[in-house]
């Protein structure tokens, strides 16, 4: 990979996009990009091409590596393109002379650029150095005790920075990775069988993913050490996990401070909030309250992170970088600090509690979402005059985005039209689950959206629909019932599609689990992408009994 890249003139300081399937070839390619001296830019083949185009342009990538099958999904103009058609040699020979001339990276050079949601309507690229990655990996190795005989099951998408740990921690420690394919990581039954076939000893996932596995009937494994990261770990989930797994760690951190900044090991039955723990090595956590003063234990403040993990900045955005990366005004904690926007407080025992955000940013199924980015996408649709997006907790950590939309006069757009338009621009986790038309947007006296005055979408009567066909057969009634419960809507008809009603792929797993409980039949979750209720119900057996399967 490295020598092919060099023929394109790629070297130190350049960025190379990786647009590939989740296979061992992906990990090898990322290492090859590093070997060439360049940094990698994840381009998730599942993301809409308009978003990839935005990212590629912002990152000024020097080349893109893709595969024949995926080439058509790359946005036009992403040249030069290198096809990852290479096979694996039986063994690798290290041809690097070790004198640095081959272009291998130096610690301060860029390792990757990871794009995350930006409040101004554009994703922003976080630039992370090898030094930061190395520090994180060494530190996590120590905290969780990763050994050469450990095997890690990798399930995170590689446009999400926690994947960096999954790809490189086992390699650094001489351990083994089992890389779940796209199909496997998106479908709970496939993931369950991968888990039982491969018996991993370490696995990292978001709380949403752990819930999904739990709901699909997973029983945990005493030899498995797990890391839960990316969003809040609730005491209920922690308690469920600790009773079934060998060890449970709550990992906290923003992409701007390199994957994780603190870890907390859950030991025993939790009593209340799960802390985000103590700093990883070479990391300082400062809680500032009032006029930039260090907050004593128990006093909430904003978290600032210093040390080896602090990213270099946002790619091509010195304005944003200046706003969030600051020179440290205090004598301790490193030269530069990242202002997280997270509200935290010290406990007396020296660990941190996470209390929420100081702004509107939310984590949806572990992914960061700036409501402002979704609002900008909505307002870019013709016939949409104004939009406001808020997150609503539907219970059990299921956060759904609600989009309030004021249409231009005379518009005939429906919620389905809006979802179709957004799907071409935004990744799935940024899609609003509920779209609420409003006559006018409530505003504060300063002309901003008055978020507190937005109506509760769950309390409002469902909109009248002329095309509504009520479910008829017992299978249709059963499926409509299950969708209604999970989507929290009051009416589901024969011609409805799960995703058009605001469903998302993690929720399809819960539909599968519920239908299995009611009928004993395990349906294929993928049919929900394309088929309507009537079509899916026609493939299901009737429900066994109101109480579910006997003995289930
Ligand atoms: P990551 O680096 O894990 O990919 P993001 O950069 O997408 O995460 O989002 C970081 C934000 O997610 C944090 O600032 C915080 O608000 C939230 N977050 C991450 N991990 C946790 C956790 N364990 N508990 C509570 N909130 C978390």
């Amino acid at each position: 990979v490295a020598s092919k890249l060099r023929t394109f003139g790629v070297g130190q300081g350049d960025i190379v996009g990786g647009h590939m399937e989740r296979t061992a070839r992906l990990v090898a390619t990322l290492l090859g990009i590093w070997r060439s001296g360049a940094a990698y830019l994840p381009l998730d083949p599942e993301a809409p091409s308009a978003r990839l185009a935005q990212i590629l342009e912002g990152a000024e990538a020097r080349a893109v590596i893709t595969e024949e099958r995926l080439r058509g999904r790359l946005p036009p103009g992403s040249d030069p393109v290198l096809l990852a058609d290479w096979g694996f040699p039986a063994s690798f020979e290290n041809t690097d002379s070790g004198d640095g001339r081959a272009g291998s990276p130096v610690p301060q050079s860029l390792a990757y650029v990871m794009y995350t949601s930006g409040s101004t309507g554009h994703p922003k690229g976080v630039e992370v150095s090898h030094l930061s990655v190395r520090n994180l990996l060494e530190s996590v190795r120590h905290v969780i005790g990763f050994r050469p005989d450990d095997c890690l099951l990798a399930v995170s998408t590689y446009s999400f920075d926690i994947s960096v740990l999954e790809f490189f921690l086992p390699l650094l420690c001489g351990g083994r990775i089992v890389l779940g394919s796209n199909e496997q990581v998106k479908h709970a039954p496939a993931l369950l069988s991968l888990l039982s076939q491969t018996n991993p000893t370490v696995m990292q996932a978001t709380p949403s993913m752990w819930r999904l596995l739990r709901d699909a009937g997973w029983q945990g494994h005493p030899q498995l050490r797990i890391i839960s990261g990316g969003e809040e770990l609730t005491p209920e989930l922690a308690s469920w996990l600790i009773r079934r797994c060998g060890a449970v760690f709550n990992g906290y951190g923003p992409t701007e401070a390199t994957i994780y900044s603190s870890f907390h090991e859950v030991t025993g039955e939790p009593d209340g909030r799960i802390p985000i723990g103590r700093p990883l090595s070479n990391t300082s956590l400062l809680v500032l309250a009032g006029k930039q003063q260090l907050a004593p234990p128990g006093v909430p403040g904003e978290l600032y992170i210093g040390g080896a993990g602090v990213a270099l900045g946002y790619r091509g955005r010195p304005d944003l970088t200046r706003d969030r990366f600051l020179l440290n005004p205090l004598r301790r904690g490193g030269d530069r600090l990242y202002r997280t926007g997270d509200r935290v407080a010290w406990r007396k025992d020296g660990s941190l509690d996470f209390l929420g955000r100081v702004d509107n940013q939310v984590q949806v199924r572990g992914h960061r979402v700036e409501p402002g980015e979704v609002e900008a996408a909505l307002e870019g649709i013709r016939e949409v005059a104004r939009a406001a997006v808020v997150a609503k907790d539907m219970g059990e950590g299921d956060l759904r985005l609600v989009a309030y939309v004021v249409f231009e006069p005379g518009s005939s757009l429906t919620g389905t039209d809006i979802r179709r338009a957004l799907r071409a621009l935004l990744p799935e986790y940024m899609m609003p689950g509920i779209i609420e038309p409003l006559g006018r947007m409530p505003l504060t006296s300063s002309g901003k959206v008055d978020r507190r005055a937005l109506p509760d979408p769950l309390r409002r009567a469902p909109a009248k629909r002329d095309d509504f066909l009520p479910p008829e057969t017992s299978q249709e009634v059963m499926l409509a019932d299950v969708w209604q419960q999970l989507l929290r809507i009051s009416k589901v008809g024969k011609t409805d599609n799960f995703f058009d009603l605001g469903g998302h792929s993690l929720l399809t797993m819960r539909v599968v689990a519920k239908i299995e409980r009611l009928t004993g039949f395990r349906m294929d979750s993928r049919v929900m992408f394309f088929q309507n209720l009537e079509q899916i119900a026609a493939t299901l057996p009737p429900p066994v009994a109101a109480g579910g399967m006997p003995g289930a």
Side-chain angles (χ1 to χ4, degrees):
V1 179
S3 51
K4 283 196 182 191
L5 284 173
R6 286 194 201 111
T7 61
F8 285 132
V10 169
Q12 204 73 249
D14 286 330
I15 308 275
V16 176
H19 180 254
M20 297 176 67
E21 294 279 1
R22 294 173 61 81
T23 63
R25 185 177 286 162
L26 168 66
V27 182
T29 300
L30 300 180
L31 284 171
I33 294 174
W34 280 352
R35 173 56 71 91
S36 79
Y40 77 82
L41 169 74
L43 297 169
D44 185 356
E46 305 271 307
S49 138
R51 189 175 184 79
L52 294 184
Q54 227 178 5
I55 290 176
L56 269 167
E57 194 189 321
E60 297 184 0
R62 209 33 216 278
V64 176
I65 303 184
T66 188
E67 286 157 306
E68 191 61 60
R69 232 169 58 71
L70 300 174
R71 194 178 189 157
R73 290 200 216 159
L74 267 177
S78 25
D79 298 326
V81 172
L82 195 69
L83 284 183
D85 51 359
W86 41 81
F88 279 96
S91 66
F92 287 98
E93 196 187 331
N94 189 351
T95 51
D96 199 341
S97 56
D99 59 5
R101 268 187 305 160
S104 294
V106 293
Q108 286 75 16
S109 62
L110 258 190
Y112 57 79
V113 181
M114 201 65 69
Y115 272 77
T116 146
S117 186
S119 58
T120 54
H122 292 283
K124 51 190 185 197
V126 182
E127 298 182 321
V128 174
S129 70
H130 280 281
L131 190 128
S132 299
V133 177
R134 177 72 192 240
N135 184 68
L136 180 276
L137 295 178
E138 289 291 5
S139 184
V140 173
R141 181 218 288 246
H142 177 73
V143 173
I144 69 169
F146 201 99
R147 297 179 307 262
D149 59 352
D150 272 319
C151 167
L152 181 147
L153 175 59
V155 297
S156 307
T157 44
Y158 74 109
S159 54
F160 187 18
D161 72 344
I162 62 175
S163 65
V164 176
L165 180 147
E166 297 180 351
F167 292 165
F168 304 112
L169 180 66
L171 294 183
L172 182 79
C173 303
R176 204 153 55 87
I177 318 173
V178 173
L179 195 62
S181 69
N182 231 341
E183 287 288 290
Q184 285 167 326
V185 301
K186 278 177 89 183
H187 299 105
L191 190 52
L192 283 184
S193 49
L194 186 65
L195 263 163
S196 65
Q197 278 158 21
T198 56
N199 274 323
T201 56
V202 177
M203 184 175 158
Q204 167 192 254
T206 58
S208 307
M209 177 85 104
W210 296 119
R211 278 193 198 98
L212 171 77
L213 283 169
R214 179 194 65 187
D215 296 346
W218 183 55
Q219 285 306 314
H221 202 289
Q223 71 158 13
L224 184 67
R225 276 123 71 214
I226 74 162
I227 305 173
S228 174
E231 62 186 330
E232 206 166 334
L233 174 63
T234 58
E236 300 74 48
L237 182 60
S239 155
W240 190 90
L241 290 166
I242 193 67
R243 278 188 261 139
R244 290 167 181 81
C245 299
V248 176
F249 299 90
N250 181 22
Y252 157 86
T255 306
E256 288 87 339
T258 314
I259 315 170
Y260 290 120
S261 302
S262 70
F263 258 62
H264 169 77
E265 179 165 7
V266 179
T267 49
E269 194 57 34
D271 58 348
R273 197 194 294 279
I274 310 291
I276 54 172
R278 295 161 201 275
L280 291 176
S281 34
N282 302 311
T283 301
S284 46
L285 303 179
L286 305 178
V287 183
L288 302 185
K291 291 192 180 126
Q292 305 276 55
Q293 270 156 0
L294 291 171
V299 175
E302 185 172 354
L303 177 64
Y304 289 68
I305 301 175
V310 180
L312 303 175
Y314 297 114
R315 180 105 185 134
R317 296 302 305 267
D319 51 335
L320 292 182
T321 305
R322 266 195 306 277
D323 185 45
R324 305 299 294 209
F325 294 86
L326 317 169
L327 288 177
N328 188 355
L330 306 171
R331 289 238 178 83
R332 44 179 275 213
D335 300 340
R336 290 171 73 236
L337 298 177
Y338 170 67
R339 176 161 66 90
T340 62
D342 286 327
R343 275 185 78 237
V344 297
W346 288 114
R347 292 189 166 205
K348 289 221 170 66
D349 67 5
S351 64
L352 270 182
D353 270 335
F354 175 83
L355 305 174
R357 292 285 306 172
V358 302
D359 55 17
N360 296 328
Q361 183 188 303
V362 289
Q363 297 298 115
V364 177
R365 305 192 284 285
H367 294 277
R368 185 195 302 192
V369 177
E370 285 283 5
E373 188 173 354
V374 186
E375 288 164 4
L378 281 160
E379 288 174 0
I381 300 174
R382 239 178 353 128
E383 299 186 32
V384 171
R386 186 94 197 234
V389 172
V390 297
K392 178 144 182 83
D393 191 349
M394 307 297 239
E396 282 198 71
D398 180 15
L399 218 58
R400 214 77 64 76
L401 295 177
V402 184
Y404 295 89
V405 180
V406 179
F407 292 104
E408 297 285 5
S411 161
S412 57
L413 280 190
T414 63
T416 307
D417 297 329
I418 293 194
R419 284 208 177 86
R420 298 231 160 101
L422 288 185
R423 241 176 243 142
L425 303 170
L426 301 176
E428 198 207 353
Y429 59 87
M430 284 196 190
M431 291 292 297
I434 299 170
I435 295 177
E436 273 291 306
L438 286 184
R440 65 173 192 89
M441 191 61 74
L443 299 177
T444 61
S445 53
S446 60
K448 288 193 179 157
V449 173
D450 186 355
R451 288 171 191 273
R452 276 177 307 180
L454 291 166
D456 183 342
L458 302 185
R459 295 244 177 86
R460 286 166 45 117
K464 274 221 184 73
R465 294 169 43 187
D466 302 333
D467 60 346
F468 185 76
L469 291 175
E472 287 170 324
T473 66
S474 64
Q475 289 94 321
E476 285 171 7
V477 171
M478 165 184 69
L479 191 59
D481 239 30
V482 169
W483 287 10
Q484 272 163 226
Q485 280 170 31
L486 290 174
L487 297 169
R488 316 262 175 149
I489 53 179
S490 49
K491 246 177 147 184
V492 173
K494 271 168 172 306
T495 54
D496 284 327
N497 169 281
F498 189 70
F499 284 80
D500 286 344
L501 295 175
H504 53 79
S505 47
L506 280 191
L507 266 191
T508 63
M509 304 300 158
R510 297 184 52 188
V511 174
V512 173
K514 285 209 171 202
I515 295 295
E516 188 172 6
R517 230 172 298 142
L518 294 168
T519 65
F521 173 77
R522 180 174 285 185
M523 60 184 276
D524 182 347
S525 64
R526 284 168 294 194
V527 296
M528 274 177 274
F529 281 95
F530 306 108
Q531 297 186 355
N532 66 24
L533 181 105
E534 183 179 18
Q535 291 164 320
I536 301 168
T539 65
L540 300 178
V544 173
M549 286 286 289

